[in-house]
Amino acid sequence: MTFGLNTKPSPTLKVSTNFICLIVLYQLFLSFLTPLRISFTPASPTTSFSIYNTQNQQLGMKLKLNMACNKVVLVLVVTLFLVLNLLLQIPKTSAIVPAVIVFGDSTVDPGNNNQISTVLKSNFEPYGRDYFGGQPTGRFSNGRIATDFISEAFGIKPTIPAYLDPKFDIKDFASGVSFASAGTGYDNATSDVLSVIPFWKELEYYKEYQSKLRGYLGTDMANHHLSESLHLISIGTNDFLENYYIFPTRSSKYSVDQYQDFLIGIASNFIRELYKLGARKIAISGLPPMGCLPLERTTNMFDRSECIEEYNNVARDFNKKLQSSVTELKQELVGVQLVQSNAYDKLLEMIQNPSRFGFENAEIACCGTGFFEMSYLCDKMNPFTCSDANKYIFWDSFHPTEKTNAILADHVFKTVLAEFR
């Protein structure tokens, strides 16, 4: 039995079989830290291990051990090799947060609605015209959405895929995934309006995802991965603008204040469920200045299409209540890192001072006339769509442009999400 360095003449050291096996074990560990290739060549009466770099050059160490090597140690060697081989398949990032996992509505839906039966879709031109390759993906924007930019800022990847998109699998989802559905809300009645994925179903998809991740990474590694991943929640606007203020079902049962409390209760329980499932890093967004969305300003034509302050006040009050709930949950859930990623003030600042951010128009959207178009009303046949979306805060009558998304994501990343970096 010999241990030799590739020099001439090759020296020979007589050592125990277990020591040889441990040397192999150590070298396999080093192979995880650097891009090496292990050559395992069984032969009789010896077994040979050779170490190569990525240029296929032998690194000057060749180990030969007698097949009489302690079987227990040999099993450890082979087991470690298989584990490290699996680890090398996991997408490597320089981030402390290994993945961004997303729940919510159209603000963070990268295309899940493409796969369900609903009229609320955006997988057609001119949506996505400024996305990579100019392709519509189902994102309600001319390009990327805020969560894409947040993932990129964490050093993970530039886009987050939709969980229901058949082009992706668990290897893609391991470093980030979105369960969000455009048109949904905290309230189940909100998702019924346009037949989209209810909020509770997003949690069921997350449980399914966890099972797949454990099959891919192994239980212990997957659990650690989930605890370190950032879970983002962006939802709530549709509950008011597509439900409460449109249909009498909720408004006849709840005052605005009561309905806010109803939604806050759902949000709090959702966070508790995430915590039970192993999530420890969670960010939940508040409502935007929803009275300033182009669609709402259009309905306020008798008041010179100004922002509807009633809606903005509701959003501010909701955000205050949500922050109180976040504070309570941080005391209740031991070890949780929970923040409210409130972009209300930043977006309102952009709307009130568009030129400061390089915009020319904050009142109407880029797509179509800019007053009311969204989804199928915002299609490539509309002759009024603007030529440069970067001049506009809003892409369609309800959703921001890619430029706006990038500014908001950068603001949130550098402020409330800083504790996760």
Side-chain angles (χ1 to χ4, degrees):
M1 197 182 314
T2 63
F3 167 77
L5 296 175
N6 283 347
T7 58
K8 294 182 181 181
S10 177
T12 300
L13 296 176
K14 293 184 178 181
V15 292
S16 71
T17 51
N18 285 351
F19 179 75
I20 292 294
C21 289
L22 290 174
I23 289 293
V24 174
L25 193 67
Y26 174 70
Q27 189 61 55
L28 285 171
F29 173 73
L30 291 180
S31 74
F32 173 62
L33 300 179
T34 56
L36 304 181
R37 180 173 65 84
I38 317 294
S39 175
F40 175 59
T41 310
S44 181
T46 63
T47 299
S48 174
F49 287 85
S50 299
I51 314 299
Y52 299 86
N53 64 14
T54 51
Q55 284 73 45
N56 209 39
Q57 298 170 330
Q58 192 167 349
L59 294 183
M61 179 177 289
K62 188 171 184 179
L63 304 174
K64 292 187 177 182
L65 56 146
N66 193 287
M67 292 302 289
C69 177
N70 184 292
K71 292 182 179 180
V72 175
V73 177
L74 187 57
V75 167
L76 286 174
V77 172
V78 175
T79 300
L80 182 61
F81 175 75
L82 294 175
V83 169
L84 293 178
N85 187 51
L86 173 62
L87 285 172
L88 290 171
Q89 297 179 42
I90 302 172
K92 292 182 176 58
T93 74
S94 59
I96 296 175
V97 171
V100 176
I101 300 172
V102 185
F103 307 87
D105 56 23
S106 57
T107 56
V108 290
D109 178 5
N112 283 308
N113 275 23
N114 299 351
Q115 310 304 322
I116 64 175
S117 180
T118 178
V119 296
L120 192 58
K121 297 178 187 287
S122 60
N123 56 339
F124 46 82
E125 298 176 352
Y127 284 98
R129 72 181 192 186
D130 298 310
Y131 189 77
F132 300 117
Q135 296 299 312
T137 61
R139 288 168 171 81
F140 279 80
S141 184
N142 59 304
R144 288 190 285 172
I145 52 181
T147 41
D148 293 324
F149 290 107
I150 289 173
S151 173
E152 185 174 58
F154 272 110
I156 305 174
K157 56 186 179 183
T159 61
I160 297 178
Y163 182 66
L164 298 183
D165 192 331
K167 297 193 300 292
F168 302 100
D169 58 23
I170 192 59
K171 291 182 180 179
D172 305 293
F173 299 147
S175 56
V177 61
S178 176
F179 306 99
S181 176
T184 200
Y186 289 114
D187 189 351
N188 288 338
T190 303
S191 61
D192 291 339
V193 173
L194 292 168
S195 300
V196 296
I197 301 168
F199 197 38
W200 65 265
K201 183 64 175 179
E202 293 185 26
L203 191 65
E204 293 302 307
Y205 283 137
Y206 177 59
K207 293 176 183 178
E208 181 180 87
Y209 161 77
Q210 286 193 331
S211 178
K212 293 178 180 178
L213 190 68
R214 291 186 178 105
Y216 177 57
L217 298 181
T219 300
D220 291 342
M221 190 179 299
N223 290 343
H224 177 72
H225 188 84
L226 291 166
S227 69
E228 293 296 322
S229 296
L230 177 59
H231 296 68
L232 289 178
I233 305 168
S234 177
I235 194 170
T237 304
N238 297 321
D239 290 304
F240 292 97
L241 299 186
E242 291 185 9
N243 183 0
Y244 187 85
Y245 286 113
I246 301 296
F247 302 101
T249 307
R250 293 306 190 199
S251 57
S252 63
K253 183 178 180 180
Y254 300 105
S255 66
V256 171
D257 186 67
Q258 290 171 333
Y259 191 58
Q260 289 174 337
D261 292 339
F262 172 68
L263 299 180
I264 294 293
I266 295 173
S268 299
N269 287 332
F270 191 89
I271 291 171
R272 289 188 182 97
E273 288 300 313
L274 285 180
Y275 181 84
K276 290 178 183 177
L277 292 169
R280 292 296 180 269
K281 297 180 178 181
I282 305 171
I284 183 168
S285 68
L287 299 182
M290 55 190 184
C292 293
L293 299 179
L295 181 61
E296 305 313 315
R297 296 175 81 139
T298 298
T299 64
N300 198 30
M301 293 183 69
F302 292 109
D303 194 17
R304 296 176 299 173
S305 295
E306 295 292 332
C307 297
I308 302 178
E309 285 307 314
E310 177 189 353
Y311 292 176
N312 284 354
N313 291 336
V314 168
R316 280 194 294 266
D317 291 343
F318 179 89
N319 293 344
K320 290 178 183 177
K321 291 183 177 184
L322 183 61
Q323 183 57 58
S324 295
S325 178
V326 165
T327 300
E328 293 173 3
L329 287 168
K330 288 171 72 173
Q331 295 175 345
E332 174 188 334
L333 306 176
V334 178
V336 74
Q337 288 181 267
L338 174 62
V339 298
Q340 180 185 354
S341 55
N342 187 0
Y344 180 100
D345 292 335
K346 193 65 177 180
L347 181 56
L348 186 61
E349 180 188 358
M350 294 164 66
I351 292 170
Q352 294 175 339
N353 304 280
S355 60
R356 184 182 301 172
F357 299 89
F359 295 108
E360 296 181 5
N361 202 312
E363 297 179 2
I364 64 174
C366 169
C367 195
T369 63
F371 294 111
F372 61 88
E373 290 92 343
M374 179 177 64
S375 191
Y376 286 108
L377 294 177
C378 173
D379 62 16
K380 65 179 180 180
M381 302 301 293
N382 196 315
F384 300 107
T385 298
C386 76
S387 59
D388 185 1
N390 287 333
K391 296 179 180 179
Y392 291 75
I393 290 178
F394 294 98
W395 164 249
D396 64 20
S397 64
F398 217 78
H399 304 99
T401 57
E402 180 182 62
K403 180 178 176 180
T404 303
N405 284 326
I407 294 172
L408 293 175
D410 181 69
H411 170 72
V412 170
F413 179 75
K414 290 179 178 177
T415 54
V416 293
L417 298 185
E419 75 172 76
F420 301 115
R421 290 153 55 190

